[in-house]
Amino acid sequence: LPASAAEGLASKLQKRDPALLTNSVFNVPPSVQVYPDFMRGATWKVKSSFRGYLFPSQKIPKSRLTQDFEVPGFQKCSIAAICDVGKESAEYEMRIDNQGLQDRQFTIQREVDAFLGYPAVAQVIYDASRNPNRISIDFIEYKTRNAERIELFCNARESELYENEGQQVFVCSEYIRQVTFSGSANVGVARQVIGNYAHFWTWKNAGNGKLTGNLLTAAYLDPQDSLYFDEPS
């Protein structure tokens, strides 16, 4: 990596050390994500394959973590962009305009439907000009019991563009707080689950109108979770 990226996001990802991917400390609201030239002006057909998972905690046994269903990823729809985390493969479309802005409404609807395996999203509400850090997802009634509505709040972003052996590489991250609303045993009272996680993307320009990519998602315990103080994220 060049010196400018030595201590940045790309360096952290290349070290493959989960301890470096700690949750972000919220401060100034981040600006909208802008993608590099080699990704702009296209609707990309994405083929996603599940590559596995890791429990990096040194203090909380795996058996205890897997019993905590409020940890993002353990239930369907608890991570919006990959609604079924263990699904072996999924195909969807991702659209990036000529200014380098992702069409979130277009992409998220297709991501969610692809990972669930059927049309489930009624609408995605997003206005980057007003607030680039909030997305609302409304689900078609009775399509999934785990979510009637999802609110996504982006608390931080990072990105870097560099070259590796002549190949352009773009890395970016988003730290998300997700609030999921669904039906509950109490009539008229929605069940509300809060989850914190971060997506770390790596995109490489493979030439000839193709990209290769990798998505790493880190799930964090919420401060309200009883396990949080065993190992704060």
Side-chain angles (χ1 to χ4, degrees), residues 109 112-113 116 118-124 137-150:
Q109 178 167 353
V112 174
D113 288 350
L116 287 179
Y118 53 85
V121 176
Q123 65 174 340
V124 177
I137 307 170
D138 289 333
F139 288 80
I140 300 170
E141 195 171 14
Y142 306 124
K143 280 293 185 177
T144 172
R145 67 179 184 178
N146 287 341
E148 295 176 354
R149 189 174 90 253
I150 289 176

Side-chain angles (χ1 to χ4, degrees), residues 72-181:
F74 288 164
Q75 286 195 330
K76 283 188 177 181
C77 300
S78 58
I79 298 178
I82 41 176
C83 270
D84 187 350
V85 170
K87 187 167 185 161
E88 289 188 4
S89 62
E91 297 186 18
Y92 60 92
E93 293 178 309
M94 174 181 67
R95 178 175 293 167
I96 298 174
D97 68 19
N98 292 323
Q99 284 71 49
L101 303 181
Q102 185 179 155
D103 185 337
R104 299 275 183 162
Q105 292 165 301
F106 177 93
T107 302
I108 289 176
Q109 178 167 353
R110 283 153 181 80
E111 284 178 322
V112 174
D113 288 350
F115 276 94
L116 287 179
Y118 53 85
V121 176
Q123 65 174 340
V124 177
I125 303 170
Y126 179 67
D127 186 345
S129 63
R130 295 184 60 184
N131 185 355
N133 302 314
R134 181 172 182 174
I135 301 173
S136 301
I137 307 170
D138 289 333
F139 288 80
I140 300 170
E141 195 171 14
Y142 306 124
K143 280 293 185 177
T144 172
R145 67 179 184 178
N146 287 341
E148 295 176 354
R149 189 174 90 253
I150 289 176
E151 298 288 339
L152 300 176
F153 303 90
C154 182
N155 296 308
R157 290 187 178 93
E158 296 176 274
S159 64
E160 292 178 25
L161 176 64
Y162 65 96
E163 284 196 8
N164 182 29
E165 298 180 351
Q167 185 180 46
Q168 290 179 300
V169 182
F170 179 68
V171 293
C172 59
S173 65
E174 290 189 336
Y175 292 80
I176 302 294
R177 185 170 180 82
Q178 174 174 321
V179 184
T180 305
F181 299 90

Side-chain angles (χ1 to χ4, degrees), residues 57 59-60 64-65 68 220-233:
S57 175
K59 299 179 181 179
I60 306 174
R64 287 185 66 197
L65 275 174
D68 189 342
Y220 306 110
L221 292 170
D222 190 81
Q224 299 180 33
D225 193 297
S226 60
L227 296 179
Y228 177 80
F229 291 101
D230 289 351
E231 189 166 1
S233 56

